[in-house]
Amino acid sequence: MSKRKPYTRPMGPTWWASHPYYRFYMLREGTSVFVTLYTLALVCALFALVKGEAAWDAYVSAMSSPAAIVFHLVCLAMAMLHAVTWFSLTPKTMDIWIKGKPLPENLIVGGHYAGFVVASIVVIVAIGGWL
């Protein structure tokens, strides 16, 4: 058994609050909580839709309350922050080479934004046709 005692840097529970970079990092990671909560709200909507008209009407009534609207706005803001920070990170995670040259970062980020816009238009058109 080794008698060596390695150095362990002391780290308090608020280590992330000491630097703006770490605060933003924690905010970005915290956005996933709101994305998860919104996903659960959508799953509840699906269950209400399956149960029938009365359950659906109750769900829609609950989601029409001012608190639910604030919840949706906060979730939207957090999802947008999550998406924007993810799109800016994609050149570091995607190492794409074409004909021996790396694909420029702005093309990778722009491609993600273009896909986001196209997907949003498709959803809006689909919902518009459904309503």
Side-chain angles (χ1 to χ4, degrees):
M1 176 171 234
S2 174
K3 294 185 178 185
R4 193 174 140 229
K5 185 179 178 187
Y7 173 73
T8 305
R9 187 174 72 176
M11 184 177 289
T14 59
W15 62 268
W16 52 271
S18 62
H19 194 276
Y21 177 81
Y22 296 133
R23 284 194 298 265
F24 186 73
Y25 172 80
M26 293 301 282
L27 174 66
R28 193 229 183 266
E29 295 302 310
T31 59
S32 61
V33 172
F34 290 95
V35 171
T36 301
L37 290 174
Y38 191 73
T39 302
L40 291 175
L42 290 178
V43 169
C44 289
L46 287 175
F47 281 123
L49 196 58
V50 169
K51 285 185 177 179
E53 188 173 344
W56 176 252
D57 289 341
Y59 176 81
V60 170
S61 176
M63 289 296 126
S64 300
S65 71
I69 292 171
V70 170
F71 169 74
H72 281 85
L73 291 175
V74 169
C75 287
L76 177 65
M78 292 294 166
M80 293 300 292
L81 176 64
H82 194 87
V84 167
T85 55
W86 176 250
F87 290 166
S88 66
L89 182 68
T90 51
K92 294 172 180 55
T93 61
M94 299 176 72
D95 190 23
I96 300 174
W97 291 71
I98 297 177
K99 296 182 180 178
K101 293 183 178 180
L103 191 63
E105 291 184 2
N106 58 355
L107 287 180
I108 295 173
V109 174
H112 279 81
Y113 278 107
F116 176 73
V117 168
V118 169
S120 297
I121 289 171
V122 167
V123 168
I124 289 170
V125 168
I127 290 174
W130 182 58
L131 295 177

